[in-house]
Amino acid sequence: MNASSPSQAKEQDDDTKPLWTYVTKIKSVSGGGNYEIKYNICDFTFNGPYTRVRAHLLKMTGKGVRVCQKVTIDRLIDLKKIDNDATLRVEKSKTKSMSLPPTLDHEIARMFYSSGLPFHLARNPHYRKAFAYAANNQINGYQPPGYNKLRTTLLQNERRHVENLLQPIKNAWSQKDAIDCSNEIKDKDFIAKLMREVIMEVGHSNVVQIVMDNAAVCKAAGLIIEVDFPSIYWTPCVVHTLNLALKNICAAKNIEKKQYKVDYILSFTSPIYDVLRRTDIEASSLHLVYEMWDSMIEKVKNAIYQYERKEESEGSTFYEIVHSILIDRWTKSSTPLHCLAHSLNSRYYSHEWLSEDSNRVPPHQDLELTRERLKCFKRFFLDADVRRKVNIEFAYFSDGRKGFDDLDSLNDRGQMDPKVWWLVHGVNAPILQKVALKLLAQPCSSSCCERNWSTYSFIYSLKRNKMAPHRIENLVFVHSNLQLLSMNTPQYHQEETKMWDVAGDNFGSLDDCGILEIASLSLDEPELEGAFFNDDC
């Protein structure tokens, strides 16, 4: 389309801003649509944009310009009618939704059917915007981008565009999402090298933990990192740990006698699955793991004992097997970081939480938590004097003294999000406050990485296995971050494009699904959990 000529631009300006005809523009000043203006009706001269012209002639007060005294009531009515008509013209010119012709409907449908496109693409906001733009604009002769343009120029442009959009979310964004490891030996040294490079780029003081799955090579790499950077912990992924626990529990030798009792199996595994769901997210959850794990074991015990109709004082061979598996998994996966994060959660010192169970004690009265907390402080604070200060701050915090004895501070422990509580009430313990704010913002699983790998496998399929690594990297980057940006918009939670990237055709309806089918759904999408699960599942 050709650019508008100056005369066309003036005509358009007069059409949408008709009150310009009642003034004389003497000269442009300061740019941005500002002029030195002489009003034809009253000969008043002023500097400003069109908004001040409207304010003066339509007698609008509080707009930074005096109202015109020579505009009579009759003339004011005429001027307002002219202004209103212009406003209506502007509104009518805006893009509007419209029903597409039936023939076009069929062509779009054929595009889906012939290419095997999933039907939930119809909820994609970019798909809808493309057709809305085409329907509401004159694009005669337009040809959609071809094969080469889509995979080269447009992809590169979109990568740059997404990087710009991400700047408000994160000031410094990694230049690479993926590394081509196809010719590398993925041993502990190689993984540790990659981790070390990222830590050095971010700054080791800004890194609290590295969360990876529990594979031997990952654990070995994590221990190398801990030696190089004593203040950084290798933390096993809780979701991976729980998956391994479920696998052990459901092994044939443990459950073969119960293979036909599905309801029973679901009853004692559902507490484990519930924790798995709650931790398989990118949200802050490190400070919740210790308590969740304790509660989970208790719920598993109650389910087994209830089914076996046994009193708490009686023994259960099967529960002992399950209990030993869960304890073993916790022992292998827990770190002092879990205990310190738990100890800094203000909720666990509140009357509300302690009164829920007579066996509960505040973290500073728990031997294991105290021992592990002190280990963390020794790694975080090598200077003995600084460590003594932070231990004193912890004593005041845990006992509600010396700046933590304020009534609001004590009452808010059970009511506020712990991170908010530390922001509001933690100023009297400046060293501990910094530690708390870091730990209370930490995840406990590598779910975000898992989702990135899922995206990678979605893009790098059998049909697209000849793509160059850099092109796959760009596709993964654009795909993942367009979803991220979309989730931060109001439209993501409403209208026709609601949760457009979640589930898809396989989950169009759960009306005919049984509980076993629901239990097999992927946990890769937290939003899917929120959409389809509730506390009664």
Side-chain angles (χ1 to χ4, degrees):
M1 297 176 65
N2 295 327
S4 300
S5 65
S7 61
Q8 288 174 324
K10 184 178 185 304
E11 288 175 4
Q12 186 180 23
D13 200 39
D14 290 343
D15 192 48
T16 59
K17 300 177 180 179
L19 300 186
W20 276 130
T21 59
Y22 292 86
V23 304
T24 301
K25 298 177 186 176
I26 300 174
K27 63 180 179 179
S28 177
V29 294
S30 303
N34 289 309
Y35 297 90
E36 183 180 343
I37 301 163
K38 179 181 179 182
Y39 295 92
N40 299 339
I41 297 174
C42 60
D43 291 333
F44 175 61
T45 302
F46 201 82
N47 291 347
Y50 181 74
T51 53
R52 287 192 174 182
V53 174
R54 289 184 71 247
H56 178 71
L57 295 176
L58 301 181
K59 296 192 172 185
M60 301 164 65
T61 59
K63 301 296 183 180
V65 63
R66 72 187 190 191
V67 300
C68 184
Q69 301 298 327
K70 292 193 175 182
V71 172
T72 62
I73 293 178
D74 290 340
R75 175 166 273 186
L76 180 61
I77 292 173
D78 291 338
L79 291 173
K80 285 188 174 181
K81 183 179 184 303
I82 292 170
D83 184 70
N84 288 336
D85 289 344
T87 301
L88 288 174
R89 284 194 296 274
V90 170
E91 289 300 317
K92 288 180 179 179
S93 68
K94 290 181 178 178
T95 300
K96 293 180 173 59
S97 299
M98 60 181 291
S99 298
L100 296 173
T103 302
L104 185 50
D105 278 353
H106 290 305
E107 286 299 325
I108 293 172
R110 289 176 191 126
M111 175 182 70
F112 276 76
Y113 307 151
S114 62
S115 297
L117 298 175
F119 296 137
H120 75 277
L121 173 62
R123 295 206 314 249
N124 188 301
H126 308 291
Y127 159 86
R128 301 181 70 86
K129 285 179 184 177
F131 279 98
Y133 184 88
N136 291 281
N137 291 274
Q138 293 184 356
I139 54 174
N140 296 334
Y142 171 77
Q143 292 292 326
Y147 171 82
N148 285 321
K149 191 173 182 180
L150 278 170
R151 70 193 191 103
T152 55
T153 308
L154 287 177
L155 177 58
Q156 293 160 7
N157 290 344
E158 188 63 16
R159 165 90 190 221
R160 288 192 290 269
H161 174 65
V162 170
E163 285 176 336
N164 289 333
L165 293 176
L166 287 169
Q167 287 305 315
I169 298 176
K170 192 171 184 180
N171 291 329
W173 198 266
S174 174
Q175 294 300 309
K176 291 199 172 183
D177 270 343
I179 295 174
D180 183 7
C181 303
S182 55
N183 296 318
E184 300 287 350
I185 299 174
K186 274 73 81 175
D187 58 10
K188 62 179 182 180
D189 296 311
F190 177 73
I191 296 174
K193 174 178 175 291
L194 297 180
M195 294 296 165
R196 192 182 295 109
E197 290 173 356
V198 174
I199 291 169
M200 295 305 294
E201 180 181 350
V202 174
H204 71 88
S205 61
N206 297 320
V207 181
V208 175
Q209 60 172 343
I210 294 175
V211 186
M212 291 189 282
D213 69 31
N214 307 11
V217 67
C218 293
K219 181 176 181 179
L223 295 177
I224 292 174
I225 293 299
E226 288 193 352
V227 171
D228 291 346
F229 305 97
S231 63
I232 298 175
Y233 277 88
W234 169 70
T235 310
C237 172
V238 170
V239 172
H240 189 232
T241 299
L242 291 168
N243 275 323
L244 292 174
L246 280 171
K247 184 177 180 180
N248 294 149
I249 291 169
C250 295
K253 64 179 181 180
N254 295 328
I255 209 167
E256 58 185 2
K257 296 180 180 179
K258 299 170 182 63
Q259 57 183 323
Y260 300 111
K261 301 176 181 179
V262 175
D263 290 341
Y264 177 36
I265 297 170
L266 289 174
S267 71
F268 72 79
T269 57
S270 61
I272 304 173
Y273 181 63
D274 181 58
V275 175
L276 195 151
R277 285 167 50 196
R278 292 171 63 191
T279 53
D280 188 38
I281 55 177
E282 298 172 36
S284 308
S285 53
L286 182 72
H287 58 292
L288 305 174
V289 172
Y290 192 95
E291 194 270 334
M292 281 196 294
W293 203 284
D294 269 357
S295 298
M296 177 189 74
I297 292 176
E298 189 63 28
K299 290 176 183 177
V300 168
K301 179 180 180 180
N302 291 340
I304 293 176
Y305 270 66
Q306 182 178 356
Y307 188 87
E308 295 182 352
R309 298 180 181 179
K310 291 186 174 182
E311 298 294 329
E312 188 173 350
S313 58
E314 296 181 82
S316 167
T317 302
F318 183 65
Y319 172 68
E320 292 302 323
I321 293 172
V322 174
H323 180 263
S324 64
I325 290 171
L326 294 176
I327 293 297
D328 180 60
R329 286 296 172 190
W330 169 253
T331 303
K332 289 179 178 178
S333 65
S334 66
T335 70
L337 210 58
H338 291 101
C339 297
L340 178 57
H342 177 93
S343 299
L344 295 176
N345 188 336
S346 53
R347 181 171 180 266
Y348 299 142
Y349 299 85
S350 68
H351 172 74
E352 292 91 339
W353 185 77
L354 292 171
S355 61
E356 289 176 5
D357 188 330
S358 59
N359 294 320
R360 286 177 176 174
V361 296
H364 69 289
Q365 294 180 16
D366 184 285
L367 180 61
E368 179 187 6
L369 289 170
T370 298
R371 183 179 64 246
E372 299 303 296
R373 183 188 72 248
L374 293 174
K375 286 182 183 178
C376 269
F377 283 164
K378 286 180 180 179
R379 282 180 60 167
F380 287 165
F381 306 103
L382 301 179
D383 187 291
D385 291 335
V386 176
R387 191 163 61 249
R388 186 178 302 108
K389 288 180 182 178
V390 78
N391 276 318
I392 291 172
E393 289 182 354
F394 181 81
Y396 293 157
F397 155 67
S398 59
D399 200 34
R401 296 187 290 122
K402 297 275 188 173
F404 293 102
D405 54 356
D406 178 78
L407 186 61
D408 283 346
S409 172
L410 296 172
N411 289 337
D412 288 345
R413 290 186 175 203
Q415 304 297 324
M416 277 187 176
D417 172 85
K419 186 175 181 181
V420 174
W421 187 91
W422 274 100
L423 286 167
V424 174
H425 300 295
V427 68
N428 293 297
I431 305 175
L432 194 63
Q433 184 188 47
K434 290 180 181 178
V435 176
L437 293 178
K438 278 188 177 183
L439 294 189
L440 296 173
Q442 295 295 312
C444 67
S445 74
S446 55
S447 297
C448 52
C449 293
E450 298 283 353
R451 270 183 279 285
N452 209 39
W453 295 332
S454 297
T455 300
Y456 194 93
S457 62
F458 163 72
I459 289 172
Y460 190 68
S461 63
L462 289 174
K463 295 180 180 180
R464 308 171 89 175
N465 62 0
K466 293 183 179 180
M467 295 179 71
H470 73 276
R471 186 164 292 134
I472 300 171
E473 177 194 330
N474 286 339
L475 280 168
V476 171
F477 182 91
V478 170
H479 177 94
S480 300
N481 290 303
L482 282 177
Q483 288 179 315
L484 170 67
L485 292 163
S486 176
M487 288 178 187
N488 292 329
T489 64
Q491 292 76 19
Y492 186 78
H493 302 283
Q494 60 193 21
E495 301 173 358
E496 295 91 343
T497 60
K498 179 180 179 180
M499 293 170 63
W500 62 271
D501 60 321
V502 172
D505 303 333
N506 291 337
F507 308 107
S509 170
L510 293 181
D511 294 340
D512 301 322
C513 289
I515 189 168
L516 287 177
E517 292 172 283
I518 294 174
S520 69
L521 293 179
S522 168
L523 294 176
D524 278 351
E525 296 293 352
E527 293 288 352
L528 178 60
E529 296 284 301
F532 293 129
F533 289 101
N534 56 50
D535 293 337
D536 298 326
C537 286

